[in-house]
Amino acid sequence: MASYERVNGDILTMKEFFAGEFDIAVIGAGHAGIEAALAAARLGMRTICFTIDLDAVGNMPCNPAIGGTGKGHLVRELDALGGEMARAADRACIQYRMLNRAKGPAVWSLRAQADRRLYQQVMKHTLERQENLTLRQAEVTELRCENGHVSAVVLRTGAVFRVGAAILCTGTYLTGRTIVGECIESSGPDGMHAANALTDCLLALGLPLRRFKTGTPPRVNRRSIDFSRMEVQVGDDDPLPFSFDTAQTPENRAVCYLTYTNAETHRIIRENLDRSPIYSGVIEGVGPRYCPSIETKIVRFADKPRHQLFIEPMGLDTEEMYIQGFSSSMPEEVQIQMLHTVPGLEHAVMMRPAYAIEYDCIDGTALTLGLMCREIPGLFLAGQIVGSSGYEEAAAQGFVAGANAALKVLNRDPLILDRAGSYIGTLIDDLITKGVTDPYRMMTSRSEYRLVLRQDNADERLTPIGRKLGLIDDRRWAKFEKKQAQKEAEMKRAEKTVFSPTDALNKVLVSCETSPVTTGVRLSELLRRPQVTYADLTPIDTERPNYPREIFESVETALKYEGYIKRQLQDIAEMRRLEKKLLPKEINYAEISGLRLEAQEKLNRVRPENVGQAGRISGVSPADISVLLIWLSAHNEEK
């Protein structure tokens, strides 16, 4: 076999050669590729992971942080299943903060600043040490199929690897284009070269490609910042780790700062909008709605007098600082003018300008809920190529894709996480069922079951699934069972323990601004009061066992929100009832009488796996679902 390449008008012949055989090939070693490769290898698959640059493994070009609102939930769920991101974060993060503490526990989200280079080192070394896994620097230029099934990957060098399945985790590299004002380059993030050859192959395979865009903020030298003009943001006094398996309390070793744009910043941006590639038509890709560039913020929110900027360290061994919230594609000289209007950044020395990056991705509705391409068995996709944005979203998808690629090779049932059981399931269901028109970002508001899907109970929901998969070892499982036993024991103790109406108890209750008691009262009844916590009851709860604090937090949440949780569990039961009504793969919705035309078109395009998924497709009404249920009942009776 031979492949051909046109260089400066000349057609060059390059001989191919057989380079080896693997069960699974992972293309890309960003956050999705890492989790995909590790999951597949840990399930016993001979796995090879390709990356354009080994120095870019686990790269963090947009911001040096893990977690955040909604995203922290994904990291903890990934950890509960047996993924790697949380453990790596706990080894590399330098400041931890629990967001939304003033709100209910459903939206508490852990966020941590990472030492960017240390995080990369940790992840690269983890891949290098993983049994069954080969890490290789190379550019994949072609995917090949036999009888419609993925069969091989081809490198630019001509090396051909036979594979049983392949996982595309190309991030922002696929026909990547970076833009700084009038300076436009074919490039991946951070100056890495783009993956330009693979797009033609994907188009030839019939994948529905689209163009998205994201951006990065500028980086400046710490020595040039006047921190006295900014607000200090310290970490938590008693921080929680990301991983349920991390025994040591994290150490906060860095601080961040907060400053704001002002009228002068906004004036400079408005006066230079004609030079902004976003507004001049240079940028073709669709940008993120919930994390827009600073120039988009100024235009979209014209009435806002200022916007927050977070000054975040890139790591402990560098003076480079991110100006988070200031992503832009403006010309470099305009960026400098903008920076110098911000309090504390008047003399900032830019080390790297902000840039926008455009890249190819696909319409997620072309995939199954297991992240496999419906029309090409054995081809899985995960991360930004599916239309999401963010490290955590990518990692979560990568894990599911890696596990499912392995399960397919092993002829086992796929791993399907539903939206009632996890934020990961919500993420994938949104991408596959609803599709996206702009880069998708996870938020707690995405889930209708967020009171049940808290980050504190991620292990309770998902560790049994990880165990069944084979990714939770005996040590970790024993630790999980011990925690569950402690929680169950404390729930029973809270229901059985009765306090007498003493002066000491009533003094505590009055100090909590809740009514005193005149009869005996159970511990559980006290904890159900919104104003009362375990910490408040410490003086009188003298028989409290010496459990980890997360046990008491979990029990307190379960008691306080018991009624709401029961209601959500009823909603979940109804949703899962519809999820069990499977739809035949060969069904032609255009032939079902009574379905509206829009519903027929949407159902034929998305090809839902069950009635529950069908009901979440935009354009499919409750009346259409009723028609579908009647048809399904008749169809099953005929069978």
Side-chain angles (χ1 to χ4, degrees):
M1 294 186 293
S3 62
Y4 301 89
E5 185 177 11
R6 185 178 293 274
V7 179
N8 296 327
D10 297 324
I11 296 179
L12 305 181
T13 302
M14 180 171 58
K15 291 185 177 180
E16 294 177 351
F17 64 97
F18 177 71
E21 187 168 357
F22 289 86
D23 295 313
I24 295 170
V26 179
I27 295 99
H31 305 282
I34 287 169
E35 297 292 349
L38 289 174
R42 289 168 178 171
L43 287 172
M45 297 294 98
R46 293 170 300 147
T47 306
I48 186 165
C49 180
F50 297 104
T51 174
I52 280 180
D53 193 326
L54 280 171
D55 295 326
V57 171
N59 192 22
M60 297 173 133
C62 295
N63 71 300
I66 298 292
T69 304
K71 294 168 175 280
H73 291 70
L74 291 174
V75 179
R76 297 210 102 198
E77 289 182 349
L78 181 56
D79 179 68
L81 287 163
E84 193 64 30
M85 177 174 267
R87 286 185 290 213
D90 287 340
R91 291 174 61 187
C93 285
I94 55 181
Q95 188 204 58
Y96 287 75
R97 293 179 65 210
M98 186 69 75
L99 305 182
N100 300 325
R101 272 289 194 184
K103 302 178 182 179
V107 296
W108 292 353
S109 298
L110 187 59
R111 185 181 191 271
Q113 293 298 133
D115 185 311
R116 177 179 169 182
R117 297 306 180 204
L118 178 57
Y119 184 88
Q120 289 183 265
Q121 292 169 18
V122 167
M123 278 303 199
K124 181 171 180 282
H125 201 203
T126 300
L127 293 176
E128 291 168 341
R129 290 165 54 87
Q130 179 60 50
E131 186 179 357
N132 298 322
L133 179 58
T134 298
L135 183 61
R136 173 76 181 272
Q137 179 169 299
E139 182 186 353
V140 174
T141 57
E142 186 182 353
L143 295 171
R144 288 186 180 160
C145 298
E146 290 180 7
N147 301 318
H149 193 288
V150 167
S151 61
V153 298
V154 184
L155 307 187
R156 183 172 288 282
T157 59
V160 179
F161 292 86
R162 291 197 62 81
V163 297
I167 309 170
L168 286 177
C169 305
T170 52
T172 60
Y173 284 83
L174 200 60
T175 321
R177 188 173 77 142
T178 57
I179 304 164
V180 182
E182 296 85 8
C183 180
I184 303 171
E185 296 182 279
S186 173
S187 173
D190 285 335
M192 307 289 180
H193 74 78
N196 293 322
L198 193 55
T199 287
D200 290 340
C201 173
L202 299 182
L203 287 170
L205 289 172
L207 292 181
L209 293 186
R210 55 173 61 176
R211 198 79 171 152
F212 274 1
K213 185 265 308 183
T214 189
T216 66
R219 267 57 68 84
V220 304
N221 192 304
R222 180 196 299 266
R223 293 188 299 112
S224 65
I225 300 175
D226 181 1
F227 293 110
S228 68
R229 304 202 61 198
M230 301 178 177
E231 301 172 26
V232 180
Q233 289 197 311
V234 298
D236 292 339
D237 293 333
D238 190 13
L240 281 174
F242 271 113
S243 176
F244 292 100
D245 203 33
T246 298
Q248 186 174 353
T249 301
E251 180 185 356
N252 285 324
R253 294 175 288 168
V255 296
C256 299
Y257 298 86
L258 176 64
T259 186
Y260 298 88
T261 62
N262 52 52
E264 181 63 10
T265 319
H266 300 184
R267 181 190 66 78
I268 291 173
I269 292 173
R270 290 192 184 99
E271 289 182 357
N272 287 278
L273 281 178
D274 60 317
R275 299 187 67 190
S276 167
I278 296 175
Y279 295 98
S280 66
V282 171
I283 290 179
E284 301 168 356
V286 180
R289 179 181 311 215
Y290 297 103
C291 189
S293 65
I294 187 64
E295 52 262 44
T296 300
K297 291 178 187 177
I298 301 307
V299 172
R300 188 179 297 170
F301 309 107
D303 58 327
K304 289 198 69 172
R306 65 179 191 172
H307 294 275
Q308 288 182 326
L309 301 178
F310 297 93
I311 316 303
E312 303 173 341
M314 186 171 119
L316 297 179
D317 299 321
T318 176
E319 299 305 300
E320 204 168 345
M321 305 286 284
Y322 282 73
I323 313 300
Q324 199 60 36
F326 215 59
S327 65
S328 177
S329 59
M330 283 286 198
E332 184 173 336
E333 67 270 26
V334 178
Q335 291 186 35
I336 294 172
Q337 292 177 45
M338 291 155 50
L339 274 175
H340 288 172
T341 65
V342 175
L345 300 178
E346 291 90 347
H347 304 289
V349 176
M350 183 183 287
M351 297 179 70
R352 308 189 204 206
Y355 63 86
I357 183 166
E358 287 187 316
Y359 55 95
D360 288 337
C361 59
I362 76 150
D363 184 344
T365 59
L367 306 181
T368 68
L369 291 172
L371 295 178
M372 186 177 75
C373 186
R374 280 200 305 271
E375 303 302 324
I376 308 173
L379 177 59
F380 295 79
L381 294 89
Q384 289 191 254
I385 191 172
V386 185
S388 64
S389 69
Y391 312 145
E392 302 82 3
E393 289 89 342
Q397 293 172 64
F399 177 89
V400 173
N404 278 325
L407 293 172
K408 180 168 180 56
V409 172
L410 293 168
N411 290 317
R412 288 170 56 185
D413 290 338
L415 168 67
I416 305 296
L417 300 173
D418 68 26
R419 62 187 303 118
S422 65
Y423 273 94
I424 297 176
T426 303
L427 162 70
I428 293 174
D429 187 63
D430 281 350
L431 292 170
I432 306 312
T433 304
K434 300 177 181 178
V436 292
T437 56
D438 53 78
Y440 179 98
R441 175 186 173 186
M442 176 51 69
M443 297 174 288
T444 52
S445 59
R446 301 277 192 188
S447 175
E448 59 271 51
Y449 309 116
R450 55 185 172 273
L451 193 53
V452 174
L453 307 183
R454 306 183 311 275
Q455 63 171 13
D456 68 276
N457 68 0
D459 57 341
E460 187 176 330
R461 291 181 281 114
L462 297 174
T463 296
I465 296 175
R467 175 69 170 179
K468 185 177 179 182
L469 272 174
L471 294 173
I472 299 294
D473 61 23
D474 291 343
R475 178 197 60 80
R476 179 104 182 246
W477 182 247
K479 185 176 180 180
F480 167 75
E481 288 188 314
K482 179 181 178 180
K483 178 182 175 183
Q484 294 308 111
Q486 289 177 339
K487 180 181 175 182
E488 184 178 349
E490 179 57 19
M491 286 289 287
K492 290 180 179 177
R493 188 186 79 90
E495 294 292 351
K496 290 181 178 180
T497 300
V498 178
F499 297 118
S500 300
T502 62
D503 291 340
L505 171 58
N506 283 329
K507 183 179 179 181
V508 168
L509 296 179
V510 170
S511 69
C512 294
E513 299 183 347
T514 184
S515 58
V517 295
T518 57
T519 60
V521 60
R522 288 188 176 88
L523 173 59
S524 59
E525 293 172 3
L526 292 174
L527 290 170
R528 286 187 178 98
R529 297 190 180 191
Q531 306 92 333
V532 180
T533 67
Y534 264 109
D536 297 322
L537 298 174
T538 299
I540 61 165
D541 189 15
T542 56
E543 301 298 321
R544 185 181 302 171
N546 185 26
Y547 291 158
R549 63 169 170 163
E550 56 262 30
I551 299 296
F552 300 108
E553 286 185 353
S554 183
V555 169
E556 186 177 313
T557 299
L559 290 170
K560 275 184 167 46
Y561 296 92
E562 187 176 36
Y564 299 103
I565 291 172
K566 283 182 178 178
R567 255 179 276 169
Q568 282 207 349
L569 291 175
Q570 290 171 357
D571 293 340
I572 288 171
E574 174 60 19
M575 187 275 285
R576 286 186 169 150
R577 184 184 70 82
L578 294 175
E579 298 272 320
K580 290 179 180 178
K581 296 183 180 297
L582 303 180
L583 294 167
K585 291 182 180 180
E586 70 280 1
I587 185 172
N588 182 355
Y589 294 96
E591 296 178 353
I592 298 179
S593 177
L595 281 179
R596 294 175 307 109
L597 181 60
E598 181 185 7
Q600 292 175 358
E601 293 174 351
K602 294 286 183 67
L603 289 164
N604 273 325
R605 180 168 64 88
V606 177
R607 310 297 303 172
E609 299 179 18
N610 54 66
V611 175
Q613 185 187 1
R616 294 189 294 274
I617 298 172
S618 175
V620 177
S621 70
D624 295 317
I625 295 301
S626 297
V627 171
L628 203 54
L629 285 169
I630 293 169
W631 179 91
L632 189 61
S633 177
H635 176 78
N636 289 336
E637 286 181 9
E638 288 177 10
K639 289 185 66 176

